[in-house]
Coordinates of all heavy atoms in Angstrom, one line a residue:
M26 N -46.8 -59.7 167.5 CA -46.8 -58.6 166.6 C -45.4 -57.9 166.7 O -44.9 -57.7 167.8 CB -47.9 -57.6 167.0 CG -47.8 -56.4 166.1 SD -49.1 -55.2 166.3 CE -50.5 -56.1 165.9
R27 N -44.9 -57.5 165.6 CA -43.6 -56.8 165.6 C -43.9 -55.4 165.0 O -44.7 -55.3 164.0 CB -42.6 -57.5 164.6 CG -42.2 -58.9 165.0 CD -41.1 -58.8 166.0 NE -40.6 -60.1 166.3 CZ -39.7 -60.3 167.2 NH1 -39.1 -59.4 167.7 NH2 -39.3 -61.6 167.4
K28 N -43.3 -54.4 165.6 CA -43.4 -53.0 165.1 C -42.1 -52.4 164.9 O -41.1 -52.6 165.7 CB -44.1 -52.2 166.2 CG -45.5 -52.6 166.5 CD -46.2 -51.7 167.5 CE -47.6 -52.2 167.9 NZ -48.3 -51.3 168.8
Y29 N -42.0 -51.7 163.8 CA -40.7 -51.1 163.4 C -41.1 -49.6 163.0 O -42.1 -49.4 162.3 CB -40.1 -51.8 162.2 CG -39.8 -53.2 162.4 CD1 -40.7 -54.2 162.1 CD2 -38.6 -53.6 163.0 CE1 -40.4 -55.5 162.3 CE2 -38.3 -54.9 163.2 CZ -39.2 -55.9 162.9 OH -38.9 -57.2 163.1
V30 N -40.3 -48.7 163.4 CA -40.4 -47.3 163.1 C -39.1 -46.8 162.5 O -38.1 -47.0 163.1 CB -40.8 -46.5 164.3 CG1 -40.9 -45.0 163.9 CG2 -42.1 -47.0 164.9
T31 N -39.2 -46.2 161.3 CA -38.1 -45.6 160.6 C -38.4 -44.2 160.4 O -39.4 -43.8 159.9 CB -37.8 -46.3 159.2 OG1 -37.7 -47.7 159.4 CG2 -36.6 -45.8 158.6
M32 N -37.4 -43.3 160.8 CA -37.6 -41.9 160.7 C -36.5 -41.3 159.8 O -35.3 -41.6 159.9 CB -37.5 -41.2 162.1 CG -38.6 -41.7 163.0 SD -38.6 -41.1 164.7 CE -38.9 -39.3 164.3
L33 N -36.9 -40.4 158.9 CA -36.0 -39.7 158.0 C -36.2 -38.2 158.3 O -37.3 -37.7 158.1 CB -36.3 -40.0 156.6 CG -35.6 -39.2 155.5 CD1 -34.1 -39.5 155.5 CD2 -36.2 -39.3 154.2
K34 N -35.1 -37.5 158.6 CA -35.2 -36.0 158.7 C -35.0 -35.4 157.4 O -34.0 -35.7 156.7 CB -34.1 -35.5 159.7 CG -34.3 -34.0 160.0 CD -33.3 -33.6 161.0 CE -33.6 -32.1 161.3 NZ -32.6 -31.5 162.2
V35 N -36.0 -34.6 157.0 CA -35.9 -33.9 155.7 C -34.9 -32.8 155.8 O -35.0 -31.9 156.7 CB -37.3 -33.4 155.3 CG1 -37.2 -32.6 153.9 CG2 -38.3 -34.5 155.2
P36 N -33.9 -32.8 155.0 CA -32.8 -31.7 155.1 C -33.4 -30.3 154.9 O -34.3 -30.2 154.1 CB -31.8 -32.1 154.0 CG -32.1 -33.5 153.6 CD -33.6 -33.7 153.9
D37 N -32.8 -29.4 155.5 CA -33.1 -28.0 155.3 C -33.0 -27.7 153.8 O -32.1 -28.1 153.1 CB -32.2 -27.0 156.1 CG -32.4 -27.1 157.6 OD1 -33.5 -27.6 158.0 OD2 -31.5 -26.8 158.3
G38 N -34.0 -26.9 153.3 CA -34.0 -26.5 151.9 C -34.7 -27.5 151.0 O -34.8 -27.4 149.8
Y39 N -35.3 -28.6 151.6 CA -36.0 -29.6 150.8 C -37.4 -29.8 151.3 O -37.7 -29.6 152.5 CB -35.2 -31.0 150.9 CG -34.0 -31.0 150.1 CD1 -32.8 -30.5 150.6 CD2 -33.9 -31.5 148.8 CE1 -31.6 -30.5 149.9 CE2 -32.8 -31.6 148.1 CZ -31.6 -31.1 148.6 OH -30.4 -31.1 147.9
V40 N -38.3 -30.3 150.4 CA -39.6 -30.6 150.8 C -39.9 -32.0 150.3 O -39.3 -32.4 149.3 CB -40.7 -29.6 150.3 CG1 -40.5 -28.2 150.9 CG2 -40.6 -29.5 148.8
V41 N -40.9 -32.7 150.9 CA -41.3 -34.0 150.4 C -42.2 -33.7 149.2 O -43.3 -33.1 149.3 CB -42.0 -34.8 151.5 CG1 -42.6 -36.1 150.9 CG2 -41.1 -35.0 152.7
S42 N -41.8 -34.2 148.0 CA -42.7 -34.0 146.8 C -43.5 -35.3 146.5 O -44.5 -35.2 145.8 CB -41.8 -33.7 145.6 OG -40.8 -34.6 145.4
Y43 N -43.1 -36.4 147.1 CA -43.9 -37.6 147.0 C -43.7 -38.5 148.2 O -42.6 -38.8 148.6 CB -43.5 -38.5 145.7 CG -44.3 -39.8 145.6 CD1 -45.6 -39.8 145.2 CD2 -43.7 -41.0 146.0 CE1 -46.3 -40.9 145.2 CE2 -44.4 -42.2 145.9 CZ -45.7 -42.1 145.5 OH -46.4 -43.3 145.5
L44 N -44.9 -38.8 148.8 CA -44.9 -39.7 150.0 C -45.7 -40.9 149.6 O -46.9 -40.8 149.3 CB -45.5 -39.0 151.2 CG -45.5 -39.6 152.5 CD1 -44.0 -39.7 153.0 CD2 -46.3 -38.8 153.5
P45 N -45.1 -42.1 149.6 CA -45.8 -43.3 149.2 C -47.1 -43.5 150.1 O -47.1 -43.1 151.3 CB -44.8 -44.5 149.5 CG -43.5 -43.8 149.5 CD -43.7 -42.4 150.0
Q46 N -48.1 -44.2 149.5 CA -49.3 -44.5 150.2 C -49.0 -45.8 151.1 O -48.2 -46.6 150.7 CB -50.4 -44.8 149.3 CG -51.0 -43.6 148.6 CD -52.3 -44.0 147.9 OE1 -52.4 -45.1 147.4 NE2 -53.2 -43.1 147.8
G47 N -49.6 -45.8 152.2 CA -49.5 -47.0 153.0 C -50.4 -48.1 152.6 O -51.2 -47.9 151.6
K48 N -50.3 -49.2 153.2 CA -51.2 -50.3 152.8 C -51.3 -51.3 154.0 O -50.4 -51.4 154.8 CB -50.7 -51.1 151.6 CG -51.6 -52.1 151.1 CD -51.1 -52.7 149.7 CE -52.1 -53.8 149.3 NZ -51.8 -54.3 147.9
S49 N -52.5 -52.0 154.1 CA -52.7 -53.0 155.0 C -53.1 -54.3 154.3 O -53.9 -54.2 153.3 CB -53.7 -52.7 156.0 OG -53.3 -51.6 156.8
Y50 N -52.6 -55.4 154.7 CA -53.1 -56.7 154.2 C -53.0 -57.7 155.3 O -51.9 -57.8 155.9 CB -52.3 -57.1 153.0 CG -52.9 -58.3 152.3 CD1 -53.9 -58.2 151.4 CD2 -52.4 -59.6 152.7 CE1 -54.4 -59.4 150.8 CE2 -52.9 -60.7 152.1 CZ -53.9 -60.6 151.2 OH -54.5 -61.7 150.6
H51 N -54.0 -58.5 155.5 CA -54.1 -59.5 156.5 C -54.9 -60.7 156.0 O -55.8 -60.5 155.2 CB -54.7 -59.0 157.8 CG -54.0 -57.9 158.4 ND1 -53.1 -58.0 159.4 CD2 -54.1 -56.5 158.2 CE1 -52.6 -56.8 159.8 NE2 -53.2 -55.9 159.1
N52 N -54.4 -61.9 156.4 CA -55.2 -63.1 156.2 C -55.1 -64.0 157.4 O -54.5 -63.5 158.4 CB -54.8 -63.8 154.9 CG -53.4 -64.2 154.8 OD1 -52.8 -64.5 155.9 ND2 -52.8 -64.3 153.6
A53 N -55.5 -65.2 157.3 CA -55.5 -66.1 158.5 C -54.1 -66.5 158.9 O -53.9 -66.9 160.1 CB -56.3 -67.3 158.2
V54 N -53.1 -66.4 158.1 CA -51.7 -66.8 158.4 C -51.0 -65.6 159.0 O -50.3 -65.8 160.1 CB -51.0 -67.3 157.1 CG1 -49.6 -67.7 157.5 CG2 -51.8 -68.5 156.6
W55 N -51.0 -64.5 158.4 CA -50.3 -63.3 158.9 C -50.7 -62.1 158.1 O -51.5 -62.1 157.2 CB -48.8 -63.5 158.9 CG -48.0 -63.5 157.6 CD1 -48.3 -64.3 156.5 CD2 -47.0 -62.6 157.2 NE1 -47.4 -64.0 155.5 CE2 -46.6 -63.0 155.9 CE3 -46.3 -61.6 157.8 CZ2 -45.6 -62.3 155.2 CZ3 -45.3 -61.0 157.1 CH2 -45.0 -61.3 155.8
G56 N -50.1 -60.9 158.5 CA -50.4 -59.7 157.7 C -49.5 -58.6 158.1 O -48.6 -58.7 159.0
F57 N -49.8 -57.4 157.6 CA -48.9 -56.2 157.8 C -49.8 -55.0 157.7 O -50.8 -54.9 157.0 CB -47.8 -56.2 156.9 CG -48.1 -55.9 155.4 CD1 -48.3 -54.6 155.0 CD2 -48.3 -57.0 154.6 CE1 -48.7 -54.4 153.6 CE2 -48.7 -56.8 153.2 CZ -48.9 -55.5 152.8
D58 N -49.3 -53.9 158.3 CA -49.8 -52.6 158.2 C -48.5 -51.7 157.9 O -47.6 -51.7 158.7 CB -50.5 -52.1 159.4 CG -51.7 -52.8 159.7 OD1 -52.7 -52.8 158.9 OD2 -51.8 -53.5 160.8
L59 N -48.6 -50.9 156.8 CA -47.5 -50.0 156.5 C -48.1 -48.6 156.4 O -49.1 -48.4 155.7 CB -46.9 -50.4 155.1 CG -45.4 -50.6 155.0 CD1 -44.9 -51.7 155.8 CD2 -45.0 -50.8 153.5
K60 N -47.5 -47.7 157.1 CA -48.0 -46.3 157.0 C -46.9 -45.3 157.0 O -46.0 -45.3 157.8 CB -48.9 -46.1 158.3 CG -49.5 -44.7 158.3 CD -50.4 -44.5 159.6 CE -50.9 -43.1 159.6 NZ -51.6 -42.9 160.9
Y61 N -47.0 -44.4 156.1 CA -46.1 -43.2 156.0 C -46.8 -42.0 156.5 O -48.0 -41.8 156.2 CB -45.7 -43.0 154.5 CG -44.8 -44.0 153.9 CD1 -45.3 -45.1 153.2 CD2 -43.4 -43.8 153.9 CE1 -44.4 -46.0 152.7 CE2 -42.5 -44.8 153.4 CZ -43.1 -45.9 152.7 OH -42.3 -46.8 152.1
E62 N -46.1 -41.1 157.2 CA -46.7 -39.9 157.5 C -45.5 -38.8 157.7 O -44.4 -39.2 157.9 CB -47.4 -40.0 158.9 CG -46.6 -40.4 160.1 CD -47.5 -40.5 161.3 OE1 -48.3 -39.6 161.6 OE2 -47.4 -41.5 162.0
Q63 N -45.9 -37.6 157.5 CA -44.9 -36.5 157.7 C -45.4 -35.6 158.8 O -46.5 -35.2 158.9 CB -44.9 -35.6 156.4 CG -43.8 -34.6 156.5 CD -43.6 -33.8 155.2 OE1 -44.2 -34.0 154.2 NE2 -42.7 -32.9 155.3
K64 N -44.4 -35.4 159.7 CA -44.7 -34.5 160.9 C -43.5 -33.5 160.9 O -42.4 -33.9 161.2 CB -44.7 -35.4 162.2 CG -45.9 -36.2 162.4 CD -46.0 -36.8 163.7 CE -47.3 -37.6 163.9 NZ -47.4 -38.2 165.2
G65 N -43.9 -32.3 160.6 CA -42.8 -31.3 160.5 C -41.8 -31.6 159.4 O -42.2 -31.9 158.3
N66 N -40.5 -31.7 159.8 CA -39.5 -32.0 158.9 C -39.1 -33.5 159.0 O -37.9 -33.8 158.7 CB -38.3 -31.0 159.0 CG -37.6 -31.1 160.4 OD1 -38.2 -31.6 161.3 ND2 -36.4 -30.6 160.5
W67 N -39.9 -34.3 159.5 CA -39.7 -35.8 159.6 C -40.7 -36.5 158.8 O -41.8 -36.3 158.8 CB -39.8 -36.2 161.1 CG -38.7 -35.7 162.0 CD1 -38.7 -34.6 162.7 CD2 -37.4 -36.3 162.2 NE1 -37.5 -34.5 163.4 CE2 -36.7 -35.5 163.1 CE3 -36.8 -37.5 161.7 CZ2 -35.4 -35.8 163.5 CZ3 -35.6 -37.8 162.1 CH2 -34.9 -37.0 163.0
V68 N -40.1 -37.6 158.1 CA -41.0 -38.6 157.5 C -40.9 -39.8 158.3 O -39.8 -40.3 158.7 CB -40.5 -38.8 156.0 CG1 -41.3 -40.0 155.4 CG2 -40.7 -37.6 155.2
I69 N -42.0 -40.4 158.7 CA -42.0 -41.6 159.6 C -42.7 -42.7 158.8 O -43.8 -42.6 158.3 CB -42.8 -41.2 160.8 CG1 -42.2 -40.0 161.5 CG2 -42.9 -42.4 161.8 CD1 -43.0 -39.4 162.6
L70 N -42.0 -43.9 158.8 CA -42.6 -45.1 158.3 C -42.8 -46.0 159.5 O -41.9 -46.4 160.2 CB -41.6 -45.7 157.3 CG -42.0 -47.2 156.9 CD1 -43.4 -47.3 156.2 CD2 -40.9 -47.7 156.0
K71 N -44.1 -46.4 159.6 CA -44.5 -47.4 160.7 C -44.8 -48.7 160.0 O -45.7 -48.7 159.1 CB -45.6 -46.9 161.5 CG -45.3 -45.6 162.3 CD -46.4 -45.1 163.1 CE -46.1 -43.8 163.9 NZ -47.2 -43.3 164.6
Q72 N -44.2 -49.8 160.5 CA -44.5 -51.1 159.9 C -44.9 -52.0 161.1 O -44.2 -52.1 162.1 CB -43.3 -51.7 159.3 CG -42.7 -50.9 158.1 CD -41.5 -51.5 157.6 OE1 -41.5 -52.5 156.9 NE2 -40.3 -50.9 157.9
E73 N -46.0 -52.7 160.9 CA -46.5 -53.6 161.9 C -46.7 -55.0 161.2 O -47.4 -55.0 160.2 CB -47.7 -53.2 162.6 CG -47.5 -51.9 163.5 CD -48.8 -51.5 164.2 OE1 -49.8 -52.2 164.2 OE2 -48.7 -50.4 164.8
F74 N -46.2 -56.0 161.8 CA -46.4 -57.4 161.3 C -47.0 -58.3 162.3 O -46.5 -58.3 163.5 CB -45.1 -58.0 160.8 CG -44.4 -57.2 159.7 CD1 -43.5 -56.2 160.1 CD2 -44.7 -57.4 158.4 CE1 -42.8 -55.4 159.1 CE2 -44.0 -56.6 157.4 CZ -43.1 -55.7 157.8
D75 N -48.1 -59.0 162.0 CA -48.6 -59.9 162.9 C -48.5 -61.3 162.4 O -48.8 -61.6 161.3 CB -50.1 -59.6 163.2 CG -51.0 -59.6 162.0 OD1 -51.0 -60.6 161.3 OD2 -51.7 -58.6 161.8
N76 N -47.9 -62.1 163.3 CA -47.8 -63.6 163.0 C -47.6 -64.2 164.4 O -46.6 -64.0 165.0 CB -46.6 -63.8 162.1 CG -46.3 -65.3 161.8 OD1 -47.1 -66.1 162.3 ND2 -45.3 -65.6 161.2
D77 N -48.6 -65.0 164.8 CA -48.5 -65.6 166.1 C -48.0 -67.1 166.0 O -47.9 -67.7 167.1 CB -49.9 -65.6 166.7 CG -50.4 -64.2 167.0 OD1 -49.5 -63.3 167.2 OD2 -51.6 -63.9 166.9
D78 N -47.6 -67.6 164.9 CA -47.2 -69.0 164.7 C -45.7 -69.1 164.5 O -45.1 -68.3 163.8 CB -48.0 -69.6 163.6 CG -49.5 -69.6 163.8 OD1 -49.9 -69.9 164.9 OD2 -50.2 -69.3 162.8
L79 N -45.2 -70.1 165.1 CA -43.7 -70.4 164.9 C -43.5 -71.3 163.7 O -42.4 -71.3 163.2 CB -43.1 -71.0 166.1 CG -43.1 -70.2 167.4 CD1 -42.6 -71.0 168.6 CD2 -42.2 -69.0 167.2
T80 N -44.5 -72.0 163.3 CA -44.4 -72.9 162.2 C -45.5 -72.6 161.1 O -46.5 -72.0 161.4 CB -44.5 -74.4 162.6 OG1 -45.8 -74.6 163.2 CG2 -43.4 -74.8 163.6
L81 N -45.2 -73.1 159.9 CA -46.1 -72.8 158.8 C -46.4 -74.2 158.2 O -45.5 -74.9 157.8 CB -45.5 -71.9 157.8 CG -46.4 -71.3 156.7 CD1 -47.5 -70.5 157.3 CD2 -45.5 -70.5 155.8
N82 N -47.7 -74.6 158.1 CA -48.0 -75.9 157.5 C -48.1 -75.7 156.0 O -48.3 -74.6 155.5 CB -49.4 -76.3 158.0 CG -49.4 -76.6 159.5 OD1 -48.4 -77.1 160.0 ND2 -50.4 -76.2 160.2
S83 N -47.9 -76.8 155.3 CA -47.9 -76.7 153.8 C -49.2 -76.1 153.2 O -49.1 -75.5 152.2 CB -47.5 -78.1 153.2 OG -48.5 -79.0 153.6
D84 N -50.3 -76.4 153.9 CA -51.6 -75.8 153.4 C -51.7 -74.3 153.6 O -52.6 -73.7 153.1 CB -52.8 -76.6 154.0 CG -52.9 -76.4 155.5 OD1 -51.8 -76.1 156.2 OD2 -54.0 -76.5 156.0
E85 N -50.7 -73.7 154.3 CA -50.7 -72.3 154.5 C -49.8 -71.5 153.6 O -49.7 -70.3 153.7 CB -50.4 -72.0 156.0 CG -51.4 -72.6 157.0 CD -51.0 -72.4 158.4 OE1 -49.8 -72.8 158.7 OE2 -51.8 -72.0 159.2
F86 N -49.0 -72.2 152.8 CA -48.0 -71.6 152.0 C -48.6 -70.6 151.0 O -48.1 -69.5 150.8 CB -47.2 -72.6 151.1 CG -46.3 -73.5 151.9 CD1 -45.6 -74.5 151.4 CD2 -46.0 -73.2 153.3 CE1 -44.7 -75.3 152.1 CE2 -45.1 -74.0 154.0 CZ -44.5 -75.0 153.4
E87 N -49.8 -70.9 150.4 CA -50.4 -70.0 149.5 C -50.8 -68.7 150.2 O -50.6 -67.6 149.6 CB -51.6 -70.7 148.9 CG -52.2 -69.8 147.8 CD -53.4 -70.5 147.1 OE1 -53.4 -71.8 147.1 OE2 -54.2 -69.8 146.5
A88 N -51.3 -68.8 151.4 CA -51.7 -67.6 152.1 C -50.5 -66.7 152.5 O -50.5 -65.5 152.4 CB -52.5 -67.9 153.4
W89 N -49.4 -67.4 152.9 CA -48.2 -66.7 153.2 C -47.6 -66.0 152.0 O -47.3 -64.8 152.1 CB -47.1 -67.7 153.7 CG -45.8 -67.1 154.0 CD1 -44.8 -66.9 153.2 CD2 -45.4 -66.7 155.3 NE1 -43.7 -66.4 153.9 CE2 -44.1 -66.2 155.2 CE3 -46.0 -66.6 156.6 CZ2 -43.3 -65.7 156.2 CZ3 -45.3 -66.1 157.6 CH2 -43.9 -65.6 157.4
N90 N -47.6 -66.6 150.8 CA -47.1 -66.0 149.6 C -48.0 -64.8 149.2 O -47.5 -63.9 148.6 CB -47.0 -67.1 148.5 CG -45.9 -68.0 148.7 OD1 -44.9 -67.7 149.4 ND2 -46.0 -69.2 148.2
K91 N -49.3 -64.9 149.4 CA -50.2 -63.8 149.1 C -49.8 -62.5 149.8 O -49.9 -61.4 149.3 CB -51.7 -64.2 149.3 CG -52.7 -63.2 148.8 CD -52.7 -63.2 147.3 CE -53.8 -62.3 146.9 NZ -53.8 -62.1 145.4
V92 N -49.5 -62.7 151.1 CA -49.0 -61.5 151.9 C -47.8 -60.9 151.3 O -47.7 -59.7 151.1 CB -48.8 -61.9 153.4 CG1 -48.2 -60.7 154.1 CG2 -50.1 -62.3 154.0
L93 N -46.8 -61.8 150.9 CA -45.6 -61.3 150.3 C -45.8 -60.6 149.0 O -45.2 -59.6 148.7 CB -44.6 -62.5 150.1 CG -44.1 -63.1 151.4 CD1 -43.2 -64.3 151.1 CD2 -43.4 -62.2 152.3
Q94 N -46.8 -61.1 148.2 CA -47.1 -60.5 146.9 C -47.6 -59.0 147.1 O -47.5 -58.2 146.3 CB -48.2 -61.3 146.2 CG -47.7 -62.6 145.6 CD -48.8 -63.4 145.0 OE1 -50.0 -63.1 145.1 NE2 -48.4 -64.6 144.5
N95 N -48.3 -58.8 148.3 CA -48.8 -57.5 148.6 C -47.7 -56.6 149.2 O -47.7 -55.4 149.1 CB -50.0 -57.6 149.5 CG -51.2 -57.9 148.7 OD1 -51.9 -57.1 148.2 ND2 -51.5 -59.2 148.6
L96 N -46.8 -57.2 149.9 CA -45.8 -56.5 150.7 C -44.6 -56.1 149.8 O -44.1 -54.9 149.9 CB -45.3 -57.3 151.8 CG -44.2 -56.7 152.7 CD1 -44.7 -55.5 153.4 CD2 -43.8 -57.8 153.8
F97 N -44.0 -57.0 149.0 CA -42.8 -56.7 148.3 C -42.9 -55.5 147.4 O -41.9 -54.7 147.3 CB -42.3 -57.9 147.5 CG -41.7 -59.0 148.4 CD1 -41.5 -60.3 147.9 CD2 -41.4 -58.7 149.7 CE1 -41.0 -61.3 148.7 CE2 -40.8 -59.7 150.5 CZ -40.6 -61.0 150.0
P98 N -44.0 -55.2 146.6 CA -44.0 -54.0 145.8 C -43.9 -52.7 146.6 O -43.4 -51.7 146.1 CB -45.4 -54.1 145.1 CG -45.7 -55.6 145.1 CD -45.1 -56.1 146.4
L99 N -44.4 -52.8 147.9 CA -44.3 -51.6 148.7 C -42.8 -51.2 149.1 O -42.5 -50.1 149.3 CB -45.1 -51.8 150.0 CG -46.6 -52.1 149.8 CD1 -47.2 -52.4 151.1 CD2 -47.2 -50.9 149.1
Y100 N -42.0 -52.2 149.1 CA -40.6 -52.0 149.4 C -39.8 -51.4 148.3 O -38.7 -50.9 148.4 CB -39.9 -53.3 149.8 CG -40.2 -53.8 151.2 CD1 -40.1 -55.1 151.5 CD2 -40.6 -52.9 152.2 CE1 -40.5 -55.6 152.8 CE2 -41.0 -53.4 153.5 CZ -40.9 -54.7 153.8 OH -41.2 -55.2 155.0
K101 N -40.5 -51.3 147.1 CA -39.8 -50.7 145.9 C -40.3 -49.3 145.7 O -39.8 -48.6 144.8 CB -40.2 -51.5 144.7 CG -39.5 -52.9 144.7 CD -39.9 -53.7 143.5 CE -39.2 -55.1 143.6 NZ -39.5 -55.9 142.4
E102 N -41.2 -48.8 146.6 CA -41.7 -47.4 146.5 C -40.5 -46.5 146.9 O -39.7 -46.8 147.7 CB -42.8 -47.2 147.5 CG -44.1 -47.8 147.1 CD -44.8 -46.9 146.0 OE1 -44.6 -45.7 145.9 OE2 -45.7 -47.5 145.3
T103 N -40.6 -45.3 146.3 CA -39.5 -44.3 146.5 C -40.1 -43.0 147.1 O -41.1 -42.5 146.6 CB -38.8 -44.0 145.2 OG1 -38.3 -45.2 144.6 CG2 -37.7 -43.0 145.4
L104 N -39.5 -42.5 148.2 CA -39.9 -41.2 148.7 C -39.1 -40.2 147.9 O -37.9 -40.4 147.7 CB -39.4 -41.2 150.2 CG -39.4 -39.9 150.9 CD1 -40.9 -39.5 151.2 CD2 -38.6 -40.0 152.2
S105 N -39.7 -39.1 147.5 CA -39.1 -38.1 146.7 C -39.0 -36.8 147.5 O -39.9 -36.3 148.1 CB -39.8 -37.9 145.4 OG -39.8 -39.0 144.6
L106 N -37.8 -36.2 147.4 CA -37.6 -34.9 148.0 C -37.2 -33.9 146.9 O -36.5 -34.3 145.9 CB -36.4 -34.9 149.0 CG -36.5 -35.9 150.1 CD1 -35.3 -35.9 151.0 CD2 -37.7 -35.6 151.0
T107 N -37.7 -32.7 147.0 CA -37.4 -31.7 146.0 C -36.7 -30.5 146.7 O -37.2 -30.1 147.8 CB -38.7 -31.2 145.3 OG1 -39.3 -32.3 144.7 CG2 -38.4 -30.2 144.2
K108 N -35.7 -29.9 146.1 CA -35.0 -28.7 146.7 C -35.9 -27.5 146.5 O -36.5 -27.3 145.4 CB -33.7 -28.5 146.0 CG -32.8 -27.5 146.7 CD -31.4 -27.6 146.1 CE -30.5 -26.6 146.7 NZ -29.8 -27.1 147.9
N109 N -36.1 -26.8 147.6 CA -36.8 -25.5 147.5 C -36.2 -24.5 146.6 O -35.1 -24.3 146.4 CB -37.0 -24.9 148.9 CG -38.1 -25.5 149.7 OD1 -38.9 -26.2 149.1 ND2 -38.1 -25.2 150.9

């Protein structure tokens, strides 16, 4: 499992006006958990990926691609800040 944490400090005078929803998706090949949260003036993105295999067999390609179909749109989400 790989875990990544990204933190963004909200500048003084700004508030978070849109925080993307997180999502989880898992199948027999691999999966992910993405979660956004706000704590005080910090926005935190936690990403966890589980994949215990070093190789991928051709019969697993479809399952791998299904995870990517669920993951890639989340990377296009935008966090919005509004000036107070």
Side-chain angles (χ1 to χ4, degrees):
M26 178 179 293
R27 298 276 185 179
K28 295 181 182 183
Y29 301 93
V30 177
T31 305
M32 298 178 67
L33 170 72
K34 185 175 182 183
V35 178
D37 291 338
Y39 287 83
V40 295
V41 175
S42 55
Y43 176 75
L44 190 64
Q46 287 187 330
K48 185 173 181 175
S49 294
Y50 185 87
H51 298 269
N52 61 27
V54 176
W55 72 301
F57 67 87
D58 295 298
L59 230 65
K60 181 181 177 186
Y61 290 89
E62 62 182 311
Q63 184 174 2
K64 289 187 177 182
N66 62 343
W67 288 93
V68 174
I69 303 165
L70 168 60
K71 294 180 182 177
Q72 301 177 74
E73 295 183 5
F74 299 93
D75 58 52
N76 178 5
D77 297 328
D78 300 317
L79 293 175
T80 61
L81 191 64
N82 297 320
S83 60
D84 63 335
E85 298 172 313
F86 289 172
E87 186 175 336
W89 179 272
N90 288 334
K91 187 67 173 172
V92 174
L93 295 178
Q94 288 172 358
N95 281 274
L96 179 61
F97 285 166
L99 300 175
Y100 286 154
K101 295 179 182 180
E102 285 281 337
T103 302
L104 169 76
S105 296
L106 303 176
T107 304
K108 191 169 180 95
N109 275 348

